[in-house]
Every structure is written in structure tokens, then in C-alpha cells.
Amino acid sequence: MIYPIVVYGSPVLRQETVEIDRSYPELSKLIEDMFDTMYNADGIGLAAPQIGLSIRLFVIDADALAEDFPECKGFKKAFINPQIIEESDDLESYSEGCLSLPGISETVKRPSKIRIKYLNENFELCEDVYEHFQARVVQHEYDHLQGHVFIDHISPIRRQMNKSKLSNMAKGKVRCHYRVKLQK
Ligand code: NI
């Protein structure tokens, strides 16, 4: 099932999410649907709040970018109840976009390396270190679970430049190639 993607201006994107456990109903179906929703929108990551669910879950498949970012080869995963436990002092800047903010892309500075603990889709505890573009995608999705979006990281001037796009979005005036909704 393809979900509509919740856009900027929807309160659920600003809420802190809650952890889930094995009893969460039809979790494997939900994860599969999140991948399908992400592929349908040509995304490389999708967090549960982006389909209106305030839970600690995101999916990533960045394999399509492996040509430019070799570390992304085969990088397809679901992250349940993730926790970033280390971040490098070293920062990197790169352009980002988000399925919940169609038509906006801005340069964001983030730690170049992180260590993260999470459960995989079988509820096995994992701990991974990610660098460069992998680390960026993980941090972008992780932000969604904290009620943040990537433009929170940009300068007030850059935010000002996007002001009309953002206010239109928050009124539900969005045009893009996948189905979106403003969830009030
Ligand atoms: Ni996003």
C-alpha cells in the first residue's frame, strides 16, 4: 500500500515519537508499505511521521545513489527505536531535500560520522557506524523522529528565501508527482 506523504505544516512532523515493541500491529507489513511509499516518491529514506505515525521507525534504501556515493551500495535497512550514541566533531556540508518538503533543497552541515543503536525488522539489537552520505541519510531520518526537519538546520536568511514555498505548503498548496496530504 502506498501512503500519502504528510507535508510540512502538519503537526505530526513536529512531534516527538514513541518507541514500539514486537506487539505493534502488522509491523512487517508497515515496513514493506513504507518502502513502497518511498520508492513511489523516488525517495531514499522515509520516517514514520511522514506517513502520519508518531513512532520511532524509519526506512532507508540509498542503493540508487551508489554511483556517486559508493558507501551507499546495498544500503537498505529498517531502523526501529534508533538512538544515535556518538557523533563526530568533524562536519560535512551537502545539499538535502525531503519528501515532506517537495521543491526545497538546501545545504545542511552535519557530523560526518555517527554511531547508532537500533533494532532491525527482526527486533535484533544492532550497532553500526556510518560515515559520509550514509551518515547524512541516517541523521536526516533520525531528525524526523525528534520532530525536526532539515530546514531547521539552515540559516534564517536561507529560511526567509523559502518562506513563500513553506507557507504555501503549510496551507496544503503543493504540487509534486506523488500523493501528499496536510494532516491537521
Ligand atoms: Ni525527510
Side-chain angles (χ1 to χ4, degrees), residues 89-123:
D89 294 331
D90 186 43
L91 305 176
E92 276 176 3
S93 290
Y94 203 80
S95 170
E96 291 187 25
C98 178
L99 295 177
S100 292
L101 291 97
I104 295 182
S105 76
E106 287 291 336
T107 300
V108 179
K109 210 184 258 188
R110 296 187 185 273
S112 62
K113 189 173 172 180
I114 55 153
R115 181 185 293 272
I116 187 168
K117 261 196 336 201
Y118 61 98
L119 301 168
N120 65 16
E121 64 274 37
N122 302 315
F123 274 85

Short mmCIF file of all heavy atoms in Angstrom, two decimals, residues 89-123:
data_model
loop_
_atom_site.label_atom_id
_atom_site.label_comp_id
_atom_site.label_asym_id
_atom_site.label_seq_id
_atom_site.Cartn_x
_atom_site.Cartn_y
_atom_site.Cartn_z
N ASP A 89 33.01 15.27 15.68
CA ASP A 89 33.10 16.74 15.71
C ASP A 89 33.25 17.26 14.30
O ASP A 89 32.91 18.40 13.99
CB ASP A 89 34.32 17.19 16.54
CG ASP A 89 34.14 16.81 18.01
OD1 ASP A 89 32.98 16.74 18.46
OD2 ASP A 89 35.16 16.57 18.68
N ASP A 90 33.79 16.41 13.45
CA ASP A 90 34.03 16.75 12.06
C ASP A 90 32.69 16.89 11.33
O ASP A 90 31.84 15.99 11.40
CB ASP A 90 34.86 15.60 11.47
CG ASP A 90 35.30 15.91 10.08
OD1 ASP A 90 35.71 17.06 9.85
OD2 ASP A 90 35.20 15.01 9.21
N LEU A 91 32.49 18.02 10.65
CA LEU A 91 31.21 18.25 9.97
C LEU A 91 31.40 18.25 8.45
O LEU A 91 32.49 18.55 7.96
CB LEU A 91 30.62 19.61 10.38
CG LEU A 91 30.43 19.86 11.88
CD1 LEU A 91 29.94 21.28 12.13
CD2 LEU A 91 29.44 18.86 12.47
N GLU A 92 30.32 17.91 7.75
CA GLU A 92 30.33 17.94 6.28
C GLU A 92 29.07 18.66 5.81
O GLU A 92 28.02 18.52 6.41
CB GLU A 92 30.28 16.52 5.71
CG GLU A 92 31.62 15.84 5.61
CD GLU A 92 31.51 14.38 5.14
OE1 GLU A 92 30.40 13.89 4.83
OE2 GLU A 92 32.57 13.74 5.10
N SER A 93 29.19 19.38 4.70
CA SER A 93 28.03 20.07 4.13
C SER A 93 27.61 19.40 2.83
O SER A 93 28.46 19.03 2.02
CB SER A 93 28.38 21.53 3.80
OG SER A 93 28.54 22.24 4.98
N TYR A 94 26.31 19.26 2.66
CA TYR A 94 25.82 18.72 1.40
C TYR A 94 24.35 19.12 1.24
O TYR A 94 23.65 19.38 2.22
CB TYR A 94 25.97 17.19 1.36
CG TYR A 94 26.01 16.65 -0.06
CD1 TYR A 94 27.19 16.71 -0.79
CD2 TYR A 94 24.86 16.14 -0.65
CE1 TYR A 94 27.23 16.26 -2.10
CE2 TYR A 94 24.89 15.69 -1.97
CZ TYR A 94 26.07 15.75 -2.68
OH TYR A 94 26.10 15.32 -3.98
N SER A 95 23.91 19.13 0.00
CA SER A 95 22.54 19.52 -0.29
C SER A 95 21.55 18.40 0.10
O SER A 95 21.81 17.23 -0.14
CB SER A 95 22.46 19.81 -1.79
OG SER A 95 21.13 19.96 -2.16
N GLU A 96 20.44 18.78 0.71
CA GLU A 96 19.40 17.81 1.10
C GLU A 96 18.03 18.25 0.63
O GLU A 96 17.78 19.45 0.44
CB GLU A 96 19.34 17.68 2.64
CG GLU A 96 20.54 17.02 3.22
CD GLU A 96 20.43 16.74 4.72
OE1 GLU A 96 19.30 16.62 5.24
OE2 GLU A 96 21.49 16.62 5.36
N GLY A 97 17.17 17.28 0.50
CA GLY A 97 15.76 17.54 0.24
C GLY A 97 14.96 16.58 1.10
O GLY A 97 15.54 15.75 1.81
N CYS A 98 13.64 16.68 1.04
CA CYS A 98 12.81 15.83 1.89
C CYS A 98 11.47 15.64 1.20
O CYS A 98 10.90 16.59 0.67
CB CYS A 98 12.62 16.50 3.25
SG CYS A 98 11.57 15.58 4.37
N LEU A 99 10.95 14.41 1.24
CA LEU A 99 9.66 14.14 0.60
C LEU A 99 8.53 14.94 1.24
O LEU A 99 7.51 15.19 0.60
CB LEU A 99 9.34 12.63 0.67
CG LEU A 99 10.28 11.71 -0.11
CD1 LEU A 99 9.89 10.25 0.11
CD2 LEU A 99 10.30 12.05 -1.60
N SER A 100 8.71 15.38 2.47
CA SER A 100 7.69 16.19 3.15
C SER A 100 7.83 17.68 2.85
O SER A 100 6.99 18.47 3.28
CB SER A 100 7.76 15.97 4.67
OG SER A 100 7.37 14.65 4.98
N LEU A 101 8.90 18.05 2.14
CA LEU A 101 9.08 19.45 1.74
C LEU A 101 9.41 19.51 0.25
O LEU A 101 10.51 19.91 -0.15
CB LEU A 101 10.21 20.10 2.55
CG LEU A 101 9.92 20.34 4.03
CD1 LEU A 101 10.48 19.25 4.89
CD2 LEU A 101 10.44 21.68 4.47
N PRO A 102 8.44 19.08 -0.59
CA PRO A 102 8.74 18.98 -2.02
C PRO A 102 9.16 20.33 -2.60
O PRO A 102 8.60 21.37 -2.25
CB PRO A 102 7.43 18.49 -2.64
CG PRO A 102 6.40 18.54 -1.58
CD PRO A 102 7.08 18.67 -0.26
N GLY A 103 10.17 20.29 -3.46
CA GLY A 103 10.59 21.51 -4.16
C GLY A 103 11.61 22.34 -3.40
O GLY A 103 12.02 23.39 -3.88
N ILE A 104 12.04 21.88 -2.23
CA ILE A 104 13.03 22.64 -1.48
C ILE A 104 14.29 21.80 -1.33
O ILE A 104 14.22 20.62 -0.99
CB ILE A 104 12.51 23.04 -0.08
CG1 ILE A 104 11.32 23.99 -0.24
CG2 ILE A 104 13.61 23.68 0.76
CD1 ILE A 104 10.74 24.50 1.05
N SER A 105 15.44 22.40 -1.64
CA SER A 105 16.69 21.72 -1.30
C SER A 105 17.68 22.77 -0.81
O SER A 105 17.73 23.88 -1.33
CB SER A 105 17.24 20.90 -2.47
OG SER A 105 17.82 21.72 -3.42
N GLU A 106 18.36 22.42 0.25
CA GLU A 106 19.27 23.35 0.91
C GLU A 106 20.48 22.60 1.42
O GLU A 106 20.40 21.41 1.72
CB GLU A 106 18.56 24.01 2.11
CG GLU A 106 17.51 25.04 1.73
CD GLU A 106 18.10 26.31 1.12
OE1 GLU A 106 19.29 26.61 1.36
OE2 GLU A 106 17.36 26.99 0.37
N THR A 107 21.59 23.32 1.53
CA THR A 107 22.81 22.72 2.07
C THR A 107 22.71 22.64 3.59
O THR A 107 22.34 23.61 4.25
CB THR A 107 24.02 23.58 1.67
OG1 THR A 107 24.06 23.62 0.25
CG2 THR A 107 25.31 22.99 2.20
N VAL A 108 23.02 21.45 4.10
CA VAL A 108 22.95 21.21 5.54
C VAL A 108 24.30 20.68 6.03
O VAL A 108 24.90 19.81 5.39
CB VAL A 108 21.83 20.18 5.88
CG1 VAL A 108 21.78 19.91 7.38
CG2 VAL A 108 20.48 20.67 5.39
N LYS A 109 24.75 21.22 7.15
CA LYS A 109 26.00 20.79 7.76
C LYS A 109 25.69 19.75 8.84
O LYS A 109 24.84 20.00 9.70
CB LYS A 109 26.64 22.01 8.42
CG LYS A 109 28.15 21.98 8.47
CD LYS A 109 28.68 23.19 9.21
CE LYS A 109 29.22 24.25 8.26
NZ LYS A 109 29.90 25.33 9.01
N ARG A 110 26.34 18.60 8.76
CA ARG A 110 26.08 17.54 9.75
C ARG A 110 27.37 16.84 10.12
O ARG A 110 28.32 16.83 9.32
CB ARG A 110 25.13 16.47 9.17
CG ARG A 110 23.74 16.95 8.83
CD ARG A 110 22.89 15.75 8.43
NE ARG A 110 21.56 16.11 7.98
CZ ARG A 110 20.51 16.29 8.76
NH1 ARG A 110 20.62 16.16 10.08
NH2 ARG A 110 19.33 16.59 8.26
N PRO A 111 27.41 16.19 11.29
CA PRO A 111 28.57 15.35 11.61
C PRO A 111 28.82 14.33 10.50
O PRO A 111 27.88 13.76 9.94
CB PRO A 111 28.14 14.65 12.90
CG PRO A 111 27.18 15.61 13.54
CD PRO A 111 26.44 16.24 12.38
N SER A 112 30.10 14.12 10.17
CA SER A 112 30.42 13.24 9.05
C SER A 112 30.36 11.77 9.44
O SER A 112 30.33 10.90 8.59
CB SER A 112 31.80 13.57 8.51
OG SER A 112 32.77 13.36 9.51
N LYS A 113 30.35 11.50 10.75
CA LYS A 113 30.38 10.11 11.21
C LYS A 113 29.51 9.98 12.46
O LYS A 113 29.57 10.84 13.35
CB LYS A 113 31.83 9.76 11.54
CG LYS A 113 32.11 8.32 11.83
CD LYS A 113 33.62 8.14 11.97
CE LYS A 113 33.99 6.77 12.45
NZ LYS A 113 35.46 6.63 12.58
N ILE A 114 28.73 8.91 12.52
CA ILE A 114 27.88 8.67 13.70
C ILE A 114 27.91 7.19 14.08
O ILE A 114 28.21 6.32 13.25
CB ILE A 114 26.40 9.05 13.43
CG1 ILE A 114 25.86 8.31 12.20
CG2 ILE A 114 26.23 10.55 13.27
CD1 ILE A 114 24.37 8.10 12.23
N ARG A 115 27.58 6.93 15.32
CA ARG A 115 27.36 5.56 15.77
C ARG A 115 25.91 5.48 16.23
O ARG A 115 25.44 6.36 16.95
CB ARG A 115 28.31 5.23 16.93
CG ARG A 115 28.18 3.80 17.46
CD ARG A 115 29.07 3.60 18.67
NE ARG A 115 30.47 3.66 18.32
CZ ARG A 115 31.20 2.61 17.92
NH1 ARG A 115 30.66 1.42 17.84
NH2 ARG A 115 32.47 2.77 17.62
N ILE A 116 25.20 4.45 15.79
CA ILE A 116 23.77 4.35 16.10
C ILE A 116 23.41 2.95 16.57
O ILE A 116 23.95 1.96 16.07
CB ILE A 116 22.92 4.77 14.85
CG1 ILE A 116 21.43 4.85 15.19
CG2 ILE A 116 23.17 3.85 13.66
CD1 ILE A 116 20.58 5.51 14.10
N LYS A 117 22.53 2.91 17.57
CA LYS A 117 21.99 1.64 18.08
C LYS A 117 20.53 1.59 17.66
O LYS A 117 19.83 2.59 17.73
CB LYS A 117 22.04 1.65 19.61
CG LYS A 117 23.20 0.92 20.16
CD LYS A 117 23.20 0.54 21.61
CE LYS A 117 22.41 1.24 22.64
NZ LYS A 117 22.94 1.01 23.99
N TYR A 118 20.08 0.43 17.24
CA TYR A 118 18.69 0.31 16.81
C TYR A 118 18.30 -1.16 16.78
O TYR A 118 19.16 -2.05 16.94
CB TYR A 118 18.50 0.92 15.40
CG TYR A 118 19.34 0.25 14.32
CD1 TYR A 118 18.79 -0.74 13.49
CD2 TYR A 118 20.69 0.56 14.15
CE1 TYR A 118 19.56 -1.37 12.52
CE2 TYR A 118 21.47 -0.07 13.20
CZ TYR A 118 20.89 -1.03 12.38
OH TYR A 118 21.66 -1.67 11.42
N LEU A 119 17.03 -1.43 16.55
CA LEU A 119 16.56 -2.79 16.33
C LEU A 119 16.27 -2.93 14.85
O LEU A 119 15.72 -2.01 14.23
CB LEU A 119 15.29 -3.05 17.13
CG LEU A 119 15.41 -2.87 18.65
CD1 LEU A 119 14.03 -2.85 19.31
CD2 LEU A 119 16.26 -3.99 19.25
N ASN A 120 16.64 -4.07 14.28
CA ASN A 120 16.28 -4.29 12.88
C ASN A 120 14.85 -4.85 12.81
O ASN A 120 14.19 -4.99 13.85
CB ASN A 120 17.31 -5.19 12.17
CG ASN A 120 17.35 -6.60 12.73
OD1 ASN A 120 16.42 -7.02 13.45
ND2 ASN A 120 18.40 -7.33 12.41
N GLU A 121 14.39 -5.18 11.61
CA GLU A 121 12.99 -5.58 11.48
C GLU A 121 12.67 -6.89 12.19
O GLU A 121 11.51 -7.22 12.41
CB GLU A 121 12.55 -5.61 10.01
CG GLU A 121 13.23 -6.62 9.12
CD GLU A 121 14.55 -6.10 8.52
OE1 GLU A 121 15.30 -5.36 9.22
OE2 GLU A 121 14.84 -6.45 7.37
N ASN A 122 13.72 -7.65 12.59
CA ASN A 122 13.50 -8.86 13.38
C ASN A 122 13.68 -8.60 14.88
O ASN A 122 13.81 -9.53 15.67
CB ASN A 122 14.48 -9.95 12.94
CG ASN A 122 14.32 -10.27 11.47
OD1 ASN A 122 13.20 -10.42 10.97
ND2 ASN A 122 15.43 -10.35 10.75
N PHE A 123 13.74 -7.33 15.25
CA PHE A 123 13.93 -6.92 16.64
C PHE A 123 15.25 -7.41 17.22
O PHE A 123 15.37 -7.68 18.40
CB PHE A 123 12.73 -7.31 17.51
CG PHE A 123 11.66 -6.26 17.48
CD1 PHE A 123 10.71 -6.25 16.47
CD2 PHE A 123 11.61 -5.25 18.43
CE1 PHE A 123 9.74 -5.26 16.40
CE2 PHE A 123 10.65 -4.25 18.37
CZ PHE A 123 9.71 -4.25 17.36
#
